[in-house]
Amino acid sequence: MKGYAFDKNQKDSVQLFAMFEAAAQCPIPIVAKVKGHVMGGANGLVAMADIAAACSDTVFAFSEVRLGLVPAVISPFVLAKMNKASAREKMITGRRFSEPERLNSGLVQFVGAEKAVDRFINEITEAILNSGPEAVHTTIQLLGDLDRCSDWEQIKELTTRVIAERRVSVEGQEGLTAFFDKRKPTWSKSLNANH
């Protein structure tokens, strides 16, 4: 991109934005294991994950300003995931941020040794597999829709409609019946055959 003219750079940036937008609208959960160096735009990829777990030795920095660039395309996606004040400070300084800062920022939900990260991801994956697939999809969609609501009445209409629809859905009825029958719902799965 260094050798691209403005028009070609903008076209490339529009394609990059479209990639992040597609991930942000993904109807299934995105779970990420993060390892190595997360610099610049790679933070945007981490922000696309609904749940991200990072190995302790992973290095994070919004390094764009160090190169005379700006974290422009990733900024709306990062700000949707991270604590705004934390994101702002890290984007302005370009400095590497520590393990506690990663967790406190909201960019990642777990930090640990690689084996601990793998266990966490397995637990998360199993929890998702034991949830109603339509309910997970609808929850992801609802959270995105709530971000676009402009007033309290829209929020009230949206949330009350969604829960009413889910309560009468086939999946919702199966989940409620299974709960009262003290059994697992039909969609319940396990990653570990010993469970």
Side-chain angles (χ1 to χ4, degrees):
M1 293 173 283
K2 182 179 180 284
Y4 288 2
F6 174 82
D7 290 346
K8 194 167 183 181
N9 257 299
Q10 188 164 28
K11 183 178 179 184
D12 178 77
S13 297
V14 167
Q15 291 174 331
L16 182 63
F17 189 95
M19 179 193 72
F20 284 117
E21 192 172 39
Q25 296 170 356
C26 184
I28 59 173
I30 299 173
V31 179
K33 176 181 178 179
V34 185
K35 183 177 175 181
H37 286 74
V38 180
M39 303 294 200
N43 287 284
L45 295 174
V46 175
M48 291 297 83
D50 296 292
I51 301 156
C55 296
S56 296
D57 57 353
T58 303
V59 178
F60 284 81
F62 288 93
S63 55
E64 291 90 345
V65 294
R66 301 259 180 189
L67 302 173
L69 302 174
V70 175
V73 172
I74 65 169
S75 63
F77 305 101
V78 169
L79 289 173
K81 178 93 185 266
M82 282 183 76
N83 166 302
K84 188 175 177 181
S86 179
R88 184 178 179 90
E89 180 266 323
K90 286 158 187 56
M91 288 179 176
I92 290 170
T93 65
R95 71 175 181 82
R96 293 178 178 191
F97 47 109
S98 69
E99 191 173 304
E101 288 177 300
R102 288 176 228 157
L103 283 169
N104 293 336
S105 74
L107 185 59
V108 298
Q109 288 61 60
F110 183 87
V111 177
E114 188 166 3
K115 286 184 180 182
V117 167
D118 290 340
R119 279 192 303 274
F120 175 80
I121 288 176
N122 284 338
E123 290 170 13
I124 291 298
T125 303
E126 187 149 347
I128 292 168
L129 290 173
N130 281 299
S131 300
E134 292 172 16
V136 170
H137 167 76
T138 303
T139 299
I140 290 170
Q141 184 176 353
L142 172 67
L143 296 173
D145 291 345
L146 284 170
D147 283 342
R148 292 181 285 281
C149 286
S150 59
D151 63 46
W152 194 249
E153 285 304 311
Q154 277 187 316
I155 291 170
K156 181 171 81 173
E157 190 283 323
L158 173 64
T159 57
T160 57
R161 179 179 43 79
V162 168
I163 192 59
E165 289 170 353
R166 295 308 306 154
R167 286 175 181 163
V168 299
S169 71
V170 171
E171 188 179 86
Q173 288 292 302
E174 165 59 15
L176 289 169
T177 301
F179 174 77
F180 289 116
D181 290 350
K182 297 182 182 357
R183 64 172 173 82
K184 290 187 177 197
T186 55
W187 61 75
S188 185
K189 297 177 178 84
S190 179
L191 293 179
N192 184 345
N194 296 329
H195 283 218

